[in-house]
Amino acid sequence: MVNSDAQLYTMEGIAAGVIMILTAYLVLGSTSVYTPGDTHITDMQLEQVGADVLKIMDTPPDLNNASELEKIVATNDGARFHQLFWETYLMSGEIAAQKTTRTGSSIITNATVYYHYTDTVTDPLNPQPVIQGYQLSKPLIPYSGSEPGVRVTRYVNVTARNTTDCSSCCPIPPCDPALCPKMPATVEDRPQVMLVEVFMWKA
Amino acid sequence: MEGLSPERKEEGQWIVLMGFLVSIGIFFLALILSQSTIVGQTTAEGVLEFPKNDLQDVRAEILDITKEKSMGSLTQAQENRVMEDIQNLSLHRKSALVEYLIGDWDPGAGNRIVRIHYNNGVFEYDETASVRY
Amino acid sequence: MVPSLLVGLQRSTAIDYDAVAYRTAVILTEDPGEPSISALPGVYVPTDATRFQWDSKTPSFLKNFMQGSSALRFGLTVSRDSPNILSQRKINLFFDPAFTAEEIRQCLIYGEIPYGYNITLTRLDTQEVFTNGTGPYPEGRYGYIRRYVKIKNYTSATVTNETHPGFNATTQYLTPPFDNSQYQTFRVALDGLWLYWDGTGSRKYLVSTPYVIDPTQDNITVNLGLEGFLNNSHVNPNAFTQELPNPKVYFDWDAWRANCDQPGTPPCSVLYPQDIPPNYATLRSIEFRDRSDNPIDLITAGAKVTVSYHDPDTADTMLPLTDLDPPSPVRVGNWINLTIGNVPQDYMEQNKRMDIVYTFGEDPVVNPGVDPGDPADDISLYIPRTLISGTLRYDYNPANVTQPALAPGILEVAIW
């Protein structure tokens, strides 16, 4: 005859075992959880770095000169923007403290300038404020829409609409408009504040 | 089963019970550990959420405009348009409400008062700055 | 798994360290530190035992200060309103090896845990590297953040005959008697009225902290190159027919010219200053004077003044000038380099003026007379030459002063 008295204890033992295994799994698992927090850390670092670079680009070197970013926006010099933002600052060595250089991980940037003007053409009786943007520098690889990225911005003073000065991109006049993109026609010719917006993502 | 006395059965129960207790203890430790990672996560999130760079940028820009006004390189009409620029750009591109008021120069105190208000729906910031230019 | 951007590390649980690194970097790059005077440049603020600029003190003072109940915090920005713009003086002090890891933790990193840390500042223009840390980056996990900053440079003025021919004292001859009352002086003027204010007329405004030349915060350096002035110097044609002080003889220059290079007399080249420019100038003193031309004792007041000069005898050697008013005049071959730091606010604020005054005198050249053995026959000959005179404005004109241009840099903080 089979005695079933001990079955209860066996089941208890199994239950305890399952709980212990579960607990051990949780303990081990919790030390290597790839939570969204990880991406937040890199996002936070990237955002801080991007904001810092824009800030120091918008800091005039001395009292007698405008800031680099102001000059870039005023002359619409996207190549110079990319050279400074990306090459000089953002990618200047992975960890400078260890003198290690940049590795395969790379950041793609797309810079857009937004400006504000009053639209008096569409409805002359009821002028509306309009926010319009144009591309300052193109990304090397187009954005697929799925990579996580961060956006940093900086307000820039512009004294007037850029119409004539394109000496930096074509030294011999007459300038080829394709070589020397000017600000869009709707940019008002007055001292104004524009917004440089840089979108960065990891390729 | 005759060999098993009731006393021995009791001892087995204790072993199981201790197993329970220890596992519950470890479980709580695990909970605390996993909580600590959540704390770190929100630190990074908190940094991302707090618009520190935006605030510094807006503030620097407004103080810059104040200086230009003091130097006379902006007319009143131009200054008003610049304010519209900042307000519209920040509302449309940054979803943040920015208002500011540049006070008149007070020759007695040798300063002017600049009031700045910023609100992006999550954080609100107000400052009354005394500017010496 | 997650491609860690700019970090080269796989994060798993190092999240806490990142937060500490972030906080540390924010204090360093967005805070002027504590104690600090939150006044605008050039505005006088009385200082006392607890109210001062932390970077105006020495490491040993600060080490004592932090032992008490007083709060000390290492923030590096030039002011509260200028995040990411760092002060050179604060950088030099913070990276001073005198501070122990315990002191850095107490005044910068905070927290109960004795974190390991490595803080490195790299200047992108000169590649100069400042490091403060408990060791190199560890093999394992660590928290990391990188911040971009601008570093405010010290200013300096370089004056030579080539850059400033206007200071050539072509007509300002010394006249007899050639004693201590006869000087040629050159001044460098630091005036609060133009250092702290910019613009003209009613549109004057305060120069903002990142760009101000502020002798109370930043080092001021004047490099005076005399070689060109010496080569261009002129002899007073009237000097040699007049009375010389010691011994009191009338010296007939024409008669001397007729007699030199004769047996028993010195060669003409030695005493023929019209043809041979002197290879040295004679510096009598360097002093500091206020707007009313009263002398200021800067060194006693706590300022740091260092002077080195070019010794004419050992071609390229720069000697330190330990006494600014040496008992006997000093011969200077070419350069006099002077650096002033930590000027007290008592002498430098919006309405104060401070002039650096270089006084050049004449130096007797003892020449043996006709009879070399007879001291009474020796001639102490002064060579009265033109040298340098005038006043250099130390201001925002790039022709006068190298401007405090902001240099880019990277600050990296690692915590483990």
Side-chain angles (χ1 to χ4, degrees):
Chain A
M1 175 193 167
V2 178
N3 190 340
S4 63
D5 281 358
Q7 287 223 357
L8 192 64
Y9 302 117
T10 312
M11 279 167 74
E12 266 185 42
I14 289 169
V18 166
I19 290 171
M20 277 192 266
I21 288 167
L22 200 71
T23 308
Y25 172 74
L26 274 175
V27 169
L28 293 174
S30 67
T31 58
S32 55
V33 190
Y34 291 102
T35 57
D38 290 316
T39 49
H40 278 120
I41 294 286
T42 43
D43 283 358
M44 182 264 274
Q45 289 176 335
L46 187 54
E47 186 183 295
Q48 188 60 64
V49 160
D52 274 357
V53 171
L54 277 183
K55 194 186 285 172
I56 66 165
M57 278 174 73
D58 195 27
T59 306
D62 55 49
L63 284 176
N64 305 313
N65 282 296
S67 74
E68 289 280 4
L69 197 58
E70 262 185 71
K71 287 182 191 166
I72 285 166
V73 173
T75 55
N76 211 351
D77 195 347
R80 173 91 181 128
F81 178 86
H82 186 263
Q83 188 203 345
L84 264 184
F85 186 93
W86 195 81
E87 214 170 294
T88 308
Y89 294 127
L90 196 63
M91 303 305 277
S92 57
E94 192 179 354
I95 295 178
Q98 287 185 307
K99 302 222 183 293
T100 52
T101 48
R102 156 190 352 154
T103 56
S105 73
S106 180
I107 301 156
I108 309 294
T109 60
N110 179 22
T112 316
V113 178
Y114 288 93
Y115 61 98
H116 157 248
Y117 72 99
T118 306
D119 181 10
T120 53
V121 178
T122 319
D123 185 357
L125 294 176
N126 188 18
Q128 290 294 320
V130 180
I131 301 291
Q132 197 69 256
Y134 61 91
Q135 197 160 45
L136 181 63
S137 97
K138 281 195 184 106
L140 297 172
I141 306 163
Y143 184 58
S144 75
S146 62
E147 300 99 333
V150 294
R151 195 176 62 137
V152 291
T153 59
R154 182 82 193 174
Y155 291 103
V156 176
N157 290 321
V158 177
T159 46
R161 187 180 122 77
N162 165 34
T163 45
T164 49
D165 179 35
C166 44
S167 51
S168 65
C169 48
C170 67
I172 309 153
C175 298
D176 179 359
L179 285 173
C180 190
K182 288 176 187 167
M183 288 181 183
T186 49
V187 175
E188 290 169 3
D189 189 13
R190 60 176 172 88
Q192 60 191 294
V193 171
M194 291 185 171
L195 187 76
V196 175
E197 193 177 293
V198 182
F199 188 71
M200 301 184 282
W201 70 93
K202 292 187 286 285
Chain B
M1 289 306 290
E2 289 83 357
L4 290 174
S5 65
E7 289 77 20
R8 281 188 69 83
K9 279 180 193 167
E10 287 275 320
E11 275 176 35
Q13 289 233 359
W14 275 112
I15 291 167
V16 173
L17 204 63
M18 286 310 288
F20 260 116
L21 284 177
V22 169
S23 63
I24 287 167
I26 296 172
F27 186 78
F28 271 103
L29 279 177
L31 259 176
I32 291 163
L33 261 176
S34 60
Q35 283 294 319
S36 74
T37 64
I38 291 169
V39 169
Q41 178 185 338
T42 49
T43 311
E45 276 180 332
V47 169
L48 280 178
E49 266 176 32
F50 181 64
K52 183 191 74 179
N53 294 313
D54 276 2
L55 277 173
Q56 285 178 344
D57 188 13
V58 163
R59 198 176 171 278
E61 196 60 43
I62 291 170
L63 294 183
D64 228 36
I65 291 159
T66 311
K67 176 170 265 185
E68 278 182 30
K69 180 188 171 126
S70 290
M71 290 167 68
S73 47
L74 275 183
T75 65
Q76 188 60 48
Q78 287 170 336
E79 191 197 320
N80 293 345
R81 292 290 286 156
V82 165
M83 190 194 282
E84 285 173 31
D85 288 344
I86 293 181
Q87 288 180 336
N88 279 297
L89 285 168
S90 86
L91 201 57
H92 285 84
R93 298 304 313 169
K94 316 280 308 171
S95 313
L97 182 75
V98 174
E99 277 172 8
Y100 66 90
L101 183 76
I102 301 174
D104 289 328
W105 177 256
D106 178 352
N111 67 356
R112 64 167 89 225
I113 300 296
V114 178
R115 289 201 169 81
I116 302 169
H117 172 78
Y118 176 99
N119 190 342
N120 71 351
V122 184
F123 286 97
E124 199 175 346
Y125 176 82
D126 284 279
E127 182 183 355
T128 305
S130 159
V131 185
R132 306 270 300 212
Y133 43 76
Chain C
M1 281 184 76
V2 179
S4 287
L5 153 85
L6 300 170
V7 181
L9 252 197
Q10 278 210 0
R11 304 238 163 267
S12 48
T13 54
I15 298 159
D16 186 33
Y17 292 119
D18 274 316
V20 177
Y22 175 79
R23 182 183 65 201
T24 307
V26 166
I27 294 173
L28 284 173
T29 60
E30 297 178 29
D31 177 59
E34 195 69 43
S36 107
I37 301 167
S38 63
L40 292 156
V43 177
Y44 182 80
V45 176
T47 56
D48 57 36
T50 55
R51 196 178 156 86
F52 54 89
Q53 282 286 116
W54 69 269
D55 51 314
S56 68
K57 304 291 183 183
T58 60
S60 55
F61 178 93
L62 293 176
K63 283 158 89 80
N64 264 327
F65 184 76
M66 69 175 82
Q67 293 312 316
S69 55
S70 324
L72 180 73
R73 191 174 65 244
F74 292 118
L76 301 182
T77 65
V78 292
S79 77
R80 273 187 217 296
D81 289 338
S82 45
N84 295 48
I85 298 173
L86 308 189
S87 144
Q88 186 67 60
R89 189 167 73 169
K90 287 177 181 174
I91 291 170
N92 290 346
L93 190 53
F94 172 71
F95 287 101
D96 193 302
F99 295 113
T100 64
E102 192 45 54
E103 285 161 345
I104 298 290
R105 285 187 196 112
Q106 185 195 333
C107 300
L108 176 68
I109 301 172
Y110 305 110
E112 306 284 302
I113 309 159
Y115 293 109
Y117 64 91
N118 183 308
I119 298 162
T120 302
L121 177 65
T122 312
R123 268 182 77 133
L124 288 176
D125 57 343
T126 59
Q127 300 298 324
E128 197 179 350
V129 178
F130 300 87
T131 304
N132 192 339
T134 56
Y137 282 48
E139 289 295 313
R141 57 195 165 79
Y142 55 89
Y144 173 83
I145 190 124
R146 146 196 293 224
R147 301 294 307 262
Y148 287 84
V149 294
K150 284 244 176 181
I151 302 162
K152 185 183 173 187
N153 280 317
Y154 291 151
T155 54
S156 67
T158 299
V159 180
T160 63
N161 190 40
E162 287 69 41
T163 59
H164 295 82
F167 292 131
N168 213 315
T170 43
T171 56
Q172 294 184 15
Y173 298 116
L174 294 180
T175 51
F178 302 108
D179 56 15
N180 284 352
S181 65
Q182 290 293 318
Y183 301 129
Q184 279 171 328
T185 57
F186 176 69
R187 282 172 177 252
V188 177
L190 298 147
D191 193 331
L193 290 176
W194 66 57
L195 282 181
Y196 299 116
W197 296 89
D198 203 354
T200 49
S202 59
R203 286 179 187 169
K204 273 187 181 297
Y205 61 93
L206 272 175
V207 180
S208 58
T209 323
Y211 305 106
V212 74
I213 299 174
D214 187 353
T216 66
Q217 303 281 329
D218 309 314
N219 284 2
I220 301 290
T221 299
V222 180
N223 300 324
L224 193 56
L226 294 173
E227 198 171 34
F229 294 105
L230 286 168
N231 288 338
N232 205 24
S233 61
H234 299 276
V235 174
N236 184 347
N238 304 319
F240 295 99
T241 55
Q242 297 177 35
E243 188 185 8
L244 291 167
N246 183 29
K248 298 223 181 259
V249 292
Y250 286 94
F251 188 75
D252 186 342
W253 184 244
D254 288 331
W256 177 263
R257 276 172 70 183
N259 289 320
C260 62
D261 268 345
Q262 302 296 318
T265 62
C268 289
S269 58
V270 171
L271 289 174
Y272 197 26
Q274 277 162 313
D275 291 345
I276 314 285
N279 70 335
Y280 63 89
T282 308
L283 177 69
R284 288 200 176 272
S285 68
I286 298 173
E287 50 180 355
F288 306 98
R289 289 179 175 272
D290 65 11
R291 194 182 293 284
S292 324
D293 217 31
N294 295 319
I296 302 169
D297 193 350
L298 260 196
I299 295 170
T300 310
K304 208 175 155 212
V305 181
T306 53
V307 188
S308 57
Y309 67 98
H310 208 139
D311 179 28
D313 300 323
T314 49
D316 291 322
T317 321
M318 294 295 279
L319 299 176
L321 184 70
T322 46
D323 188 352
L324 293 187
D325 190 8
S328 57
V330 168
R331 288 184 178 185
V332 180
N334 187 8
W335 292 97
I336 307 174
N337 296 346
L338 168 109
T339 299
I340 313 172
N342 276 9
V343 176
Q345 278 201 315
D346 300 324
Y347 300 120
M348 206 62 232
E349 46 140 320
Q350 280 179 10
N351 298 314
K352 293 275 168 68
R353 172 175 168 147
M354 186 180 82
D355 281 19
I356 306 164
V357 184
Y358 297 82
T359 303
F360 298 96
E362 286 303 337
D363 190 16
V365 183
V366 178
N367 289 288
V370 180
D371 181 0
D374 182 7
D377 199 28
D378 287 355
I379 299 164
S380 282
L381 185 65
Y382 289 73
I383 309 169
R385 281 185 167 268
T386 64
L387 186 63
I388 180 171
S389 72
T391 302
L392 176 82
R393 257 177 84 123
Y394 205 98
D395 61 5
Y396 296 99
N397 182 355
N400 293 344
V401 174
T402 312
Q403 296 302 294
L406 302 176
I410 302 176
L411 182 95
E412 288 165 298
V413 178
I415 298 280
W416 62 90

